[in-house]
């Protein structure tokens, strides 16, 4: 359970792991790896994305509280506070996604045509959310691939199959520092729906 006591305890543990200010790149990288291991051991695999930050330093994620080791590592207490804030920010994002997945999932028993419409709608809305949250900075499309794969997995599809379908639908059309047009987003959504169902989505809804 997360409360003030838990936050204090985990922050103290993280603070004790912060390398000295003159530490080299390897020590800084090791800090992130060790903190990730600590968080996963304490809370589960969901916490792996705590440092997936917006922009080049974070690899195109959604977290703003953490940037990269060169900018985010500092005094132990402030560094620990950044890690905790980033973890909570990441958790909020995952909970938001879970709600969206439940709302966007095709209804049980839907035929191929109806399922196609729901899948296109889900894909276009999820891509738009990722675009908004990442500001389409460096590597933003990586999170887009991941979110769409998670969505398909949440509907019962195997992860490897879901990943392959997403790769086929996007086809390298998303680029760093480039906001996709609505036409492109719609095209990706339709392509994903077609590759999954063999049917084109309805156009009258």
């Amino acid at each position: 359970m997360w409360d003030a006591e838990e936050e204090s305890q985990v922050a103290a543990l993280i603070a004790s792991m912060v390398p000295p200010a003159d530490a080299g790149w390897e020590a800084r990288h090791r800090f992130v790896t060790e903190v990730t291991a600590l968080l996963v051991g304490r809370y589960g695999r969901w916490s792996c994305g705590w440092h997936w930050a917006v922009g080049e330093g974070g690899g195109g994620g959604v977290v703003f509280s953490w940037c990269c080791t060169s900018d985010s590592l500092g005094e132990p207490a402030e560094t620990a506070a950044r890690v905790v804030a980033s973890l909570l920010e990441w958790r909020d994002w995952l909970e938001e996604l879970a709600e969206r997945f439940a709302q966007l999932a095709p209804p049980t028993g839907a035929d191929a045509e109806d399922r196609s419409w729901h899948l296109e709608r889900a894909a276009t809305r999820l891509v738009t959310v990722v675009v908004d949250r990442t500001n389409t900075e460096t590597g933003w499309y990586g999170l887009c691939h991941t979110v769409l794969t998670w969505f398909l997995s949440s509907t019962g599809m195997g992860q490897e199959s879901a990943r392959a379908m997403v790769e086929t639908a996007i086809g390298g059309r998303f680029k760093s520092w480039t906001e996709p047009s609505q036409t492109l987003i719609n095209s990706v959504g339709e392509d994903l729906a077609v590759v999954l169902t063999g049917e084109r989505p309805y156009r009258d809804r």
Side-chain angles (χ1 to χ4, degrees), residues 1-43:
M1 182 180 71
W2 186 269
D3 54 21
E5 182 178 357
E6 175 65 16
E7 180 172 343
S8 177
Q9 288 179 3
V10 75
L13 287 171
I14 294 168
S16 71
M17 300 163 67
V18 176
D22 60 352
W25 179 87
E26 289 185 356
R28 290 169 173 267
H29 179 73
R30 186 166 56 249
F31 167 77
V32 172
T33 301
E34 292 175 348
V35 166
T36 301
L38 168 69
L39 296 177
V40 169
R42 201 172 180 99
Y43 306 118

Side-chain angles (χ1 to χ4, degrees), residues 1 11 13 17 34 43-44 47 59 71 81 87 116 119 123 131 141 150 154 163 168 170-171 184 187 190 195-196 200:
M1 182 180 71
L13 287 171
M17 300 163 67
E34 292 175 348
Y43 306 118
S47 56
D71 292 335
L87 177 68
S116 181
L119 289 169
V131 166
Y141 49 83
W150 285 347
S154 76
R163 184 179 293 113
T168 297
I170 294 178
L184 176 54
S187 178
E190 180 172 327
V195 76
L196 288 167
R200 293 201 173 276

Side-chain angles (χ1 to χ4, degrees), residues 25 28-29 32 49-73 86 134 136-140 176-177:
W25 179 87
R28 290 169 173 267
H29 179 73
V32 172
W50 70 270
H51 58 98
W52 199 355
V54 173
E56 185 173 2
V62 296
V63 171
F64 284 91
S65 299
W66 185 268
C67 174
C68 54
T69 55
S70 59
D71 292 335
S72 299
L73 271 172
S86 299
T134 61
T136 62
E137 295 192 24
T138 298
W140 71 273
S176 294
W177 303 106

